[in-house]
Amino acid sequence: RYFFDFDFFKEINSELSAYWLGVLYADGCILSQREYGEQTFKLQITEQDIELLQHYKEDLKSTYPIRYDDSHFKRNSKWQRMCFLEQRSQQTVNDLKRLGCVERKSLILDFPKEEQVPEKYVYHFIRGYFDGDGSISCWKERSWLISFVGTENFIKKLATYFHGGSVYKDKRRENSWYFSLGGNKQV
């Protein structure tokens, strides 16, 4: 039988819990099916980022094994092997839902409210979200650019925590929006 800290997401009261909630907002999911009367939640990332998953497992004091998905994920015309940690606890799933990390979130995700993630931890939440759905790149070989992807509501609220930047719609996908901020000093 496997265990982890079932109360880890009971309340966002530390930098660590805010960070991991941000990562789950980006790369986590709650599975609809119930096994043994409980739902599971999963964090899945590319195998090249397995260190992040190992830190997550350690911070949640989890004995669940890290598993691999050999179906791979196609990204930028390259196939990447995925790894994941799937854990079962209806209590924790309920806590995550209360914190805004809901089932089938990709088209409905909203930025957390103050009562979900207190203001003093919101930048740690953003850092976690960035590690999942953010990127940093060099623009025109001179200037740095950071960007985030998410739903319209999420991205527009996220943008209020930055000075400057642009919000725009991704024309290729339904309800997919970007926030980007460029410039060496700003980044």
Side-chain angles (χ1 to χ4, degrees), residues 40-138:
T40 59
F41 64 103
K42 176 165 84 171
L43 178 59
Q44 180 170 308
I45 57 176
T46 62
E47 184 180 34
Q48 72 186 30
D49 294 327
I50 193 167
E51 280 185 43
L52 182 71
L53 200 56
Q54 291 166 337
H55 288 296
Y56 171 72
K57 178 179 174 168
E58 182 181 307
D59 289 342
L60 268 67
K61 299 173 181 66
S62 179
T63 62
Y64 279 82
I66 293 175
R67 299 181 192 240
Y68 295 86
D69 181 357
D70 289 322
S71 65
H72 299 41
F73 172 69
K74 190 172 183 178
R75 177 184 218 154
N76 301 332
S77 71
K78 293 181 183 177
W79 291 94
Q80 296 179 333
R81 189 173 189 212
M82 304 300 287
C83 57
F84 64 91
L85 185 62
E86 186 175 325
Q87 300 171 110
R88 182 182 308 115
S89 164
Q90 192 62 51
Q91 171 191 326
T92 306
V93 166
N94 291 343
D95 288 341
L96 288 169
K97 288 178 182 179
R98 183 180 42 75
L99 294 170
C101 192
V102 296
E103 296 171 57
R104 296 181 204 91
K105 62 181 172 48
S106 61
L107 296 177
I108 60 170
L109 191 64
D110 203 352
F111 199 83
K113 298 172 178 62
E114 165 79 21
E115 56 270 10
Q116 293 168 316
V117 177
E119 191 70 27
K120 73 181 194 175
Y121 299 121
V122 76
Y123 288 103
H124 301 286
F125 169 84
I126 291 171
R127 185 171 47 93
Y129 190 83
F130 178 81
D131 281 352
D133 277 342
S135 65
I136 187 166
S137 57
C138 191

Side-chain angles (χ1 to χ4, degrees), residues 142-154:
R142 295 189 307 264
S143 182
W144 291 101
L145 176 77
I146 62 169
S147 62
F148 294 82
V149 64
T151 64
E152 179 179 10
N153 289 340
F154 187 92

Side-chain angles (χ1 to χ4, degrees), residues 120-186:
K120 73 181 194 175
Y121 299 121
V122 76
Y123 288 103
H124 301 286
F125 169 84
I126 291 171
R127 185 171 47 93
Y129 190 83
F130 178 81
D131 281 352
D133 277 342
S135 65
I136 187 166
S137 57
C138 191
W139 181 61
K140 294 186 179 180
E141 299 181 22
R142 295 189 307 264
S143 182
W144 291 101
L145 176 77
I146 62 169
S147 62
F148 294 82
V149 64
T151 64
E152 179 179 10
N153 289 340
F154 187 92
I155 291 298
K156 285 182 175 179
K157 290 177 185 169
L158 171 81
T160 65
Y161 288 91
F162 292 87
H163 300 289
S166 302
V167 172
Y168 56 95
K169 169 98 175 72
D170 179 357
K171 294 177 176 77
R172 300 169 295 161
R173 296 186 190 118
E174 179 186 349
N175 203 23
S176 184
W177 289 70
Y178 286 96
F179 168 74
S180 63
L181 176 68
N184 293 335
K185 288 183 181 179
Q186 293 89 328

Side-chain angles (χ1 to χ4, degrees), residues 28-40:
C29 68
I30 294 174
L31 303 174
S32 299
Q33 71 268 21
R34 292 174 184 259
E35 194 171 324
Y36 307 107
E38 296 182 313
Q39 288 180 281
T40 59

